[in-house]
């Protein structure tokens, strides 16, 4: 058992294996580890080679993003601590070369598994191979690591979205692994059979993440293990720069479309709670929890969320975003607004009158003037996104984070300042403008 004065001390001289490091959370995690744990040894980053791009070239492109600016200004040499390892969680043995595998087995002390396919509409076979089998492969490799001190699995709070109150415990799996593979073998990716298998879970993403959680819980053995469940991950609150965001996932796309005036209706109630958590809070908590976890062989589950401590009403959230757009004159269509309804009929009427019909008329005008007509095509993308996210706007959850809060409370004052991750400290009226400005700066 290892004791240390502060979180950064725990990482001194240690090497980390990270999967999913090129993703939104992964980049923030790598930057924060390098910046705030300056004595860590290496970060081994499992990366796929892509067409015309080696892992090395992909890593260099990643370092060119604004998120790494403060490191470049203050300690650029620390970027050399990140070592790309060619591999893929979707392949047997993670697609590792023997030499690379030996480096991991000999050098690594902490494994953070964040890689996943986050597409809600992913075919079941692909989601199972990446989210379930991929987790299985990473855990199996981790169990062979000689000096492993901590295994961290990044799940999602919505793996258990069929429960209104989500606690920091492992729930029974939504199906047996054997039954899932029987369905795949018999029906492939048949949509009706998949829907029947998912039961009261909304998509293959949360379904396969729930299965992966259970596999980790049942098979981690004596490895100190934690499961971290972020809710809806949004732009950074503070670090490495305010509002940083690099993708349209989660709440970002639909929120932007509403604030710009393209979308004017949501299925659900304005009094529902939306559970947002800034990406730097998730990154900070992951670093803290991984350091603290090595003192216990007991599996720990942490919900990295806000609804249990600092609830935000979805109506207030969207109205605040619209207000930002109007004040900063960023709305494209005049008088943006959002109507909440529980009627599918009313949703279709509003979408037709405020989106499809105006887009069709505008496209006709464009064609008459000899220009390319793409307005309706864009609107259909927005509408499709609306229906994909309908489940999440129409439900309300209380995601409990008692253990998360307790862990933060146990930190020294220095670590609380260095690794802020207490969702009760977020002032939404201050954070929402930061999130909005980040979308404008980094995505639009």
């Amino acid at each position: 058992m290892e004791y240390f004065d502060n979180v950064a001390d725990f990482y001194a001289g240690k090497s980390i294996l990270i999967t999913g490091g090129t993703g939104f959370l992964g980049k923030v995690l790598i930057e924060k580890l390098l910046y705030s744990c300056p004595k860590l040894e290496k970060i081994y980053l499992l990366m796929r080679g892509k067409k015309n791009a080696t892992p090395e070239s992909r890593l260099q492109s990643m370092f060119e993003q604004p998120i790494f600016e403060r490191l470049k200004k203050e300690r650029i040499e620390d970027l050399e601590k990140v070592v790309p390892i060619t591999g893929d969680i979707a392949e047997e043995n993670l697609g590792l070369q023997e030499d690379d595998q030996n480096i991991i087995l000999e050098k690594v002390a902490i494994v953070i598994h964040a890689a996943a396919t986050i597409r809600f509409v992913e075919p079941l076979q692909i989601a199972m191979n990446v989210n379930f089998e991929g987790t299985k492969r990473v855990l199996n490799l981790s169990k062979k690591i000689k000096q492993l001190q901590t295994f961290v699995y990044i799940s999602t709070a919505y793996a258990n979205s069929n429960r209104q109150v989500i606690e920091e415990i492992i729930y029974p799996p939504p199906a047996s692994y054997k039954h899932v593979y029987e369905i795949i073998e018999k029906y492939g990716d048949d949509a009706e059979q998949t829907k029947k298998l998912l039961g009261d879970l909304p998509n293959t993403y949360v379904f396969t993440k729930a299965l992966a959680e259970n596999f980790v819980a049942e098979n981690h053995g004596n490895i100190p293990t934690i499961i971290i469940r972020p809710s809806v991950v949004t732009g950074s609150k503070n670090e490495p720069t305010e509002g940083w965001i690099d993708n349209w996932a989660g709440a970002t796309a639909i929120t932007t479309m509403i604030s710009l005036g393209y979308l004017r209706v949501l299925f659900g109630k304005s009094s529902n709670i939306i559970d947002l958590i800034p990406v730097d809070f998730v990154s900070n908590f992951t670093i803290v929890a991984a350091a603290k976890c090595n003192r216990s062989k007991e599996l720990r589950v942490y919900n990295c969320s806000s609804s249990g401590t600092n609830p935000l009403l979805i109506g207030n959230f969207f109205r605040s975003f619209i207000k930002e757009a109007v004040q900063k004159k960023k709305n494209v269509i005049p008088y943006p607004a959002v109507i909440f309804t529980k009627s599918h009929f009313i949703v279709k009427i509003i979408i037709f009158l405020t989106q499809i019909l105006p887009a069709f008329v505008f496209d006709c005008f464009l064609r008459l003037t000899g220009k390319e007509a793409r307005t309706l095509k864009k609107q259909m993308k927005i509408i499709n996104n609306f229906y994909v996210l309908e489940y999440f706007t129409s439900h309300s959850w209380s995601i409990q984070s008692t253990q998360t809060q307790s862990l933060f409370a146990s930190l020294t004052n220095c670590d609380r300042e260095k690794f802020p991750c207490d969702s009760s400290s977020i002032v939404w009226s201050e954070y929402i403008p930061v999130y909005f400005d980040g979308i404008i700066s980094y995505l639009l």
Side-chain angles (χ1 to χ4, degrees), residues 421-439:
C421 50
D422 175 14
S423 60
S424 67
S425 69
I426 300 170
V427 180
W428 295 115
S429 61
E430 295 174 3
Y431 171 69
I432 288 171
V434 169
Y435 182 21
F436 179 85
D437 290 345
I439 291 170

Side-chain angles (χ1 to χ4, degrees), residues 73-85:
K73 287 176 183 174
E74 297 177 36
R75 302 196 315 269
I76 192 168
E77 66 280 0
D78 280 11
L79 294 177
E80 295 173 12
K81 293 181 179 181
V82 184
V83 179
I85 297 266

Side-chain angles (χ1 to χ4, degrees), residues 16-312:
I16 307 167
L17 172 66
I18 297 179
T19 72
T22 57
F24 177 40
L25 171 60
K27 293 191 193 95
V28 178
L29 184 60
I30 289 166
E31 197 278 343
K32 182 63 174 178
L33 279 165
L34 292 174
Y35 190 79
S36 295
C37 305
K39 292 181 182 177
L40 71 79
E41 186 71 23
K42 298 280 185 189
I43 295 176
Y44 294 103
L45 192 56
L46 191 73
M47 297 178 74
R48 288 178 295 169
K50 290 194 173 179
K51 194 176 180 181
N52 302 322
T54 63
E56 289 77 11
S57 64
R58 289 183 65 205
L59 186 62
Q60 290 313 307
S61 297
M62 188 173 91
F63 287 154
E64 288 168 13
Q65 295 185 19
I67 186 176
F68 292 99
E69 282 306 309
R70 66 174 180 177
L71 258 174
K72 285 182 180 175
K73 287 176 183 174
E74 297 177 36
R75 302 196 315 269
I76 192 168
E77 66 280 0
D78 280 11
L79 294 177
E80 295 173 12
K81 293 181 179 181
V82 184
V83 179
I85 297 266
T86 302
D88 186 344
I89 67 163
E91 294 181 14
E92 286 304 315
N93 200 38
L94 302 173
L96 290 170
Q97 297 294 319
E98 188 177 345
D99 288 350
D100 288 335
Q101 178 170 302
N102 288 337
I103 289 170
I104 292 168
L105 297 183
E106 294 289 336
K107 304 282 189 184
V108 166
I110 301 116
V111 173
I112 300 174
H113 173 43
T117 172
I118 60 172
R119 287 186 72 237
F120 287 171
V121 293
E122 197 75 89
L124 181 61
Q125 290 184 76
I126 295 174
M128 280 297 288
N129 186 40
V130 177
N131 294 345
F132 177 72
E133 294 293 339
T135 301
K136 193 173 172 181
R137 293 176 190 121
V138 176
L139 182 60
N140 287 341
L141 175 70
S142 300
K143 289 165 87 169
K144 299 176 189 171
I145 293 173
K146 294 178 181 178
Q147 304 296 326
L148 189 66
Q149 294 186 342
T150 308
F151 177 82
V152 181
Y153 173 51
I154 307 292
S155 182
T156 169
Y158 299 99
N160 303 286
S161 53
N162 52 348
R163 301 169 188 275
Q164 191 171 358
V165 177
I166 300 169
E167 298 180 70
E168 292 167 300
I169 59 174
I170 295 292
Y171 291 101
S176 71
Y177 323 137
K178 184 181 176 185
H179 180 58
V180 174
Y181 284 117
E182 283 172 355
I183 295 296
I184 289 172
E185 190 177 341
K186 191 172 181 181
Y187 300 103
D189 288 318
D190 180 78
E192 280 303 311
Q193 290 298 325
T194 298
K195 189 176 180 182
K196 194 184 294 184
L197 179 66
L198 298 186
D200 52 4
L201 287 174
N203 54 55
T204 57
Y205 168 64
V206 300
F207 179 80
T208 52
K209 294 294 271 185
L211 290 176
E213 276 193 12
N214 275 270
F215 183 84
V216 170
E218 291 170 4
N219 295 279
H220 68 91
N222 290 324
I223 302 171
T225 299
I226 53 176
I227 293 173
I228 297 176
R229 297 178 181 146
S231 54
V232 180
V233 183
T234 53
S236 61
K237 182 176 180 291
N238 302 307
E239 293 181 289
T241 179
E242 285 188 352
W244 186 78
I245 189 164
D246 76 343
N247 70 84
W248 290 102
T252 302
I254 200 165
T255 305
T256 305
M257 292 305 102
I258 285 172
S259 63
L260 298 184
Y262 289 117
L263 181 64
R264 293 174 181 264
V265 63
L266 280 178
F267 191 76
K269 297 189 296 183
S270 63
S271 59
N272 284 349
I273 294 168
I274 185 169
D275 197 309
L276 309 180
I277 192 77
V279 66
D280 48 335
F281 276 45
V282 183
S283 167
N284 288 340
F285 185 77
T286 301
I287 294 167
V288 166
K292 291 283 189 176
C293 168
N294 85 309
R295 300 183 184 187
S296 172
K297 293 287 194 293
E298 183 187 340
L299 175 76
R300 303 276 180 165
V301 180
Y302 296 103
N303 291 336
C304 204
S305 55
S306 60
S307 58
T309 61
N310 193 1
L312 172 65

Side-chain angles (χ1 to χ4, degrees), residues 341-383:
T341 177
K342 294 182 77 177
S343 165
H344 283 100
F345 177 73
I346 292 173
V347 164
K348 287 176 182 176
I349 293 292
I350 293 173
I351 285 176
F352 178 77
L353 292 175
T354 65
Q355 291 173 249
I356 294 174
L357 187 60
F360 176 76
V361 171
F362 191 63
D363 273 356
C364 291
F365 172 75
L366 289 173
R367 287 192 186 95
L368 289 172
T369 55
K371 294 176 182 175
E372 187 180 0
R374 293 189 302 173
T375 316
L376 185 58
K377 190 176 178 181
K378 286 181 180 177
Q379 275 294 346
M380 293 314 295
K381 280 187 177 180
I382 293 167
I383 292 164

Side-chain angles (χ1 to χ4, degrees), residues 395-406:
H395 287 73
S396 188
W397 293 273
S398 178
I399 303 171
Q400 302 300 303
S401 54
T402 309
Q403 292 175 182
T404 302
Q405 297 297 311
S406 297

